[in-house]
Amino acid sequence: GKTTIVPTNVISLRRWERVTEDGSTMKRIYITTDVGTFFYDIVKNRWASNADSPNEIVDVDSLKALAFAKAGVDNETEFAKFC
């Protein structure tokens, strides 16, 4: 089975944007935690790991709560504006 990893501390938040070859824009907020780095994909409205391990899944609810608290926001719409 998979191991669920639960972050307990957000160390930093960092916004990242890039225009791809096809002209679309990638927008992410990287979330560095005590158990690894994750990101929120603003365009796809998706939470993911920077290094998706097949044996580990992150507790997304914990990740969201910590990231929102660090950014001082209450939801994904507000979090997407973080810079």
Side-chain angles (χ1 to χ4, degrees), residues 48-76:
S49 169
N50 212 15
D52 276 321
S53 167
N55 300 321
E56 292 181 340
I57 52 172
V58 66
D59 181 337
V60 175
D61 289 338
S62 295
L63 180 63
K64 278 186 189 182
L66 290 166
F68 290 174
K70 182 84 172 178
V73 301
D74 297 320
N75 56 56
E76 287 169 341

Side-chain angles (χ1 to χ4, degrees), residues 30-65:
Y30 279 89
I31 305 138
T32 304
T33 76
D34 54 327
V35 294
T37 299
F38 306 91
F39 64 84
Y40 172 62
D41 187 317
I42 296 168
V43 177
K44 295 178 181 171
N45 189 27
R46 184 174 73 95
W47 296 80
S49 169
N50 212 15
D52 276 321
S53 167
N55 300 321
E56 292 181 340
I57 52 172
V58 66
D59 181 337
V60 175
D61 289 338
S62 295
L63 180 63
K64 278 186 189 182

Side-chain angles (χ1 to χ4, degrees), residues 13-30:
L13 298 173
R14 181 175 58 89
R15 191 179 184 92
W16 176 91
E17 294 188 16
R18 175 180 292 163
V19 177
T20 58
E21 290 177 8
D22 67 4
S24 62
T25 303
M26 295 174 69
K27 295 181 182 181
R28 294 176 176 175
I29 298 173
Y30 279 89

